Amino acid sequence: MDAHVKNKIHTIIAELNALARELDDISQGINREFKGIGAVKCASSLQSTAGKYRSVINELRKI
């Protein structure tokens, strides 16, 4: 694999990491600031999405 492709993959991984961290932060904020079933479901959904981003990151690292 050439250097350009590797750099692109690393850039994508960095962006996905940033998105996953931001989703985690938002989820934690929702848990702190809001109460109720809707807040729990929303926070859980954000955590799930962050986990999916991390799965994609792991697959990209295998390339």
Side-chain angles (χ1 to χ4, degrees):
M1 180 179 332
D2 70 6
H4 179 69
V5 174
K6 280 188 177 185
N7 285 338
K8 273 291 203 194
I9 290 172
H10 288 294
T11 300
I12 292 168
I13 288 171
E15 287 293 322
L16 289 174
N17 268 325
L19 287 170
R21 282 192 306 272
E22 190 164 341
L23 288 173
D24 287 335
D25 290 344
I26 293 168
S27 173
Q28 291 171 6
I30 288 171
N31 277 330
R32 279 191 311 270
E33 300 294 325
F34 300 97
K35 301 293 179 216
I37 295 170
V40 172
K41 182 153 178 63
C42 181
S44 174
S45 180
L46 290 170
Q47 287 292 319
S48 174
T49 303
K52 289 176 184 175
Y53 280 131
R54 287 186 186 94
S55 294
V56 171
I57 290 167
N58 289 335
E59 292 300 315
L60 286 172
R61 286 186 174 141
K62 293 177 185 177
I63 295 177

